[in-house]
Short mmCIF file of all heavy atoms in Angstrom, two decimals:
data_model
loop_
_atom_site.label_atom_id
_atom_site.label_comp_id
_atom_site.label_asym_id
_atom_site.label_seq_id
_atom_site.Cartn_x
_atom_site.Cartn_y
_atom_site.Cartn_z
N GLN Q 697 127.95 -29.75 -38.72
CA GLN Q 697 126.89 -29.76 -37.73
C GLN Q 697 127.05 -30.99 -36.82
O GLN Q 697 127.90 -31.85 -37.07
CB GLN Q 697 125.50 -29.77 -38.40
CG GLN Q 697 125.26 -30.97 -39.29
CD GLN Q 697 123.94 -30.88 -40.02
OE1 GLN Q 697 123.13 -29.98 -39.79
NE2 GLN Q 697 123.70 -31.82 -40.92
N ARG Q 698 126.20 -31.05 -35.82
CA ARG Q 698 126.27 -32.15 -34.85
C ARG Q 698 124.88 -32.75 -34.64
O ARG Q 698 123.88 -32.04 -34.61
CB ARG Q 698 126.81 -31.64 -33.52
CG ARG Q 698 127.05 -32.72 -32.48
CD ARG Q 698 127.17 -32.10 -31.10
NE ARG Q 698 125.88 -31.61 -30.59
CZ ARG Q 698 125.72 -30.47 -29.95
NH1 ARG Q 698 126.72 -29.65 -29.76
NH2 ARG Q 698 124.50 -30.11 -29.53
N ILE Q 699 124.86 -34.08 -34.51
CA ILE Q 699 123.63 -34.81 -34.20
C ILE Q 699 123.89 -35.65 -32.92
O ILE Q 699 124.86 -36.41 -32.90
CB ILE Q 699 123.23 -35.74 -35.36
CG1 ILE Q 699 122.88 -34.90 -36.60
CG2 ILE Q 699 122.04 -36.62 -34.99
CD1 ILE Q 699 121.70 -33.99 -36.43
N PRO Q 700 123.04 -35.48 -31.92
CA PRO Q 700 121.84 -34.65 -31.85
C PRO Q 700 122.17 -33.16 -31.70
O PRO Q 700 123.17 -32.79 -31.10
CB PRO Q 700 121.13 -35.18 -30.62
CG PRO Q 700 122.23 -35.69 -29.74
CD PRO Q 700 123.26 -36.24 -30.67
N ALA Q 701 121.32 -32.33 -32.31
CA ALA Q 701 121.49 -30.89 -32.24
C ALA Q 701 121.03 -30.38 -30.88
O ALA Q 701 120.48 -31.12 -30.05
CB ALA Q 701 120.69 -30.23 -33.36
N GLU Q 702 121.27 -29.11 -30.64
CA GLU Q 702 120.84 -28.51 -29.37
C GLU Q 702 119.32 -28.60 -29.23
O GLU Q 702 118.58 -28.46 -30.21
CB GLU Q 702 121.29 -27.04 -29.31
CG GLU Q 702 122.80 -26.86 -29.19
CD GLU Q 702 123.34 -27.38 -27.87
OE1 GLU Q 702 122.57 -27.43 -26.86
OE2 GLU Q 702 124.53 -27.73 -27.83
N ASP Q 703 118.92 -28.87 -27.98
CA ASP Q 703 117.50 -28.94 -27.61
C ASP Q 703 116.79 -30.11 -28.29
O ASP Q 703 115.55 -30.10 -28.41
CB ASP Q 703 116.77 -27.64 -27.95
CG ASP Q 703 117.36 -26.43 -27.23
OD1 ASP Q 703 117.86 -26.61 -26.10
OD2 ASP Q 703 117.35 -25.33 -27.82
N THR Q 704 117.53 -31.11 -28.74
CA THR Q 704 116.91 -32.31 -29.34
C THR Q 704 117.38 -33.58 -28.61
O THR Q 704 117.21 -34.67 -29.13
CB THR Q 704 117.26 -32.43 -30.83
OG1 THR Q 704 118.67 -32.59 -30.98
CG2 THR Q 704 116.80 -31.21 -31.61
N TYR Q 705 117.93 -33.45 -27.42
CA TYR Q 705 118.40 -34.62 -26.67
C TYR Q 705 118.13 -34.40 -25.17
O TYR Q 705 117.81 -33.29 -24.72
CB TYR Q 705 119.90 -34.83 -26.92
CG TYR Q 705 120.79 -33.73 -26.41
CD1 TYR Q 705 121.31 -33.76 -25.11
CD2 TYR Q 705 121.09 -32.62 -27.20
CE1 TYR Q 705 122.11 -32.74 -24.62
CE2 TYR Q 705 121.88 -31.60 -26.73
CZ TYR Q 705 122.40 -31.66 -25.44
OH TYR Q 705 123.18 -30.64 -24.96
N TYR Q 706 118.30 -35.44 -24.39
CA TYR Q 706 118.14 -35.40 -22.93
C TYR Q 706 119.05 -36.47 -22.34
O TYR Q 706 119.48 -37.40 -23.02
CB TYR Q 706 116.67 -35.64 -22.54
CG TYR Q 706 116.10 -36.92 -23.11
CD1 TYR Q 706 116.15 -38.12 -22.39
CD2 TYR Q 706 115.51 -36.92 -24.36
CE1 TYR Q 706 115.63 -39.29 -22.91
CE2 TYR Q 706 114.97 -38.09 -24.89
CZ TYR Q 706 115.05 -39.26 -24.16
OH TYR Q 706 114.53 -40.43 -24.69
N ASN Q 707 119.37 -36.32 -21.07
CA ASN Q 707 120.25 -37.26 -20.40
C ASN Q 707 119.47 -38.50 -19.98
O ASN Q 707 118.33 -38.42 -19.49
CB ASN Q 707 120.87 -36.62 -19.14
CG ASN Q 707 121.81 -35.48 -19.48
OD1 ASN Q 707 122.50 -35.52 -20.51
ND2 ASN Q 707 121.84 -34.45 -18.64
N THR Q 708 120.09 -39.64 -20.17
CA THR Q 708 119.49 -40.91 -19.79
C THR Q 708 120.60 -41.86 -19.36
O THR Q 708 121.78 -41.48 -19.34
CB THR Q 708 118.67 -41.50 -20.94
OG1 THR Q 708 117.96 -42.64 -20.48
CG2 THR Q 708 119.55 -41.88 -22.11
N TYR Q 709 120.21 -43.12 -19.06
CA TYR Q 709 121.18 -44.10 -18.57
C TYR Q 709 121.00 -45.41 -19.32
O TYR Q 709 119.89 -45.77 -19.76
CB TYR Q 709 121.02 -44.33 -17.06
CG TYR Q 709 121.19 -43.06 -16.24
CD1 TYR Q 709 120.09 -42.30 -15.88
CD2 TYR Q 709 122.45 -42.64 -15.85
CE1 TYR Q 709 120.25 -41.13 -15.12
CE2 TYR Q 709 122.62 -41.49 -15.09
CZ TYR Q 709 121.52 -40.74 -14.75
OH TYR Q 709 121.68 -39.58 -14.00
N THR Q 710 122.09 -46.11 -19.44
CA THR Q 710 122.06 -47.43 -20.06
C THR Q 710 121.62 -48.46 -19.02
O THR Q 710 121.44 -48.14 -17.83
CB THR Q 710 123.45 -47.78 -20.62
OG1 THR Q 710 124.38 -47.83 -19.52
CG2 THR Q 710 123.91 -46.75 -21.63
#
Side-chain angles (χ1 to χ4, degrees):
Q697 60 185 353
R698 185 198 72 222
I699 295 297
E702 291 294 335
D703 300 328
T704 63
Y705 65 90
Y706 54 92
N707 294 326
T708 188
Y709 301 95
T710 62

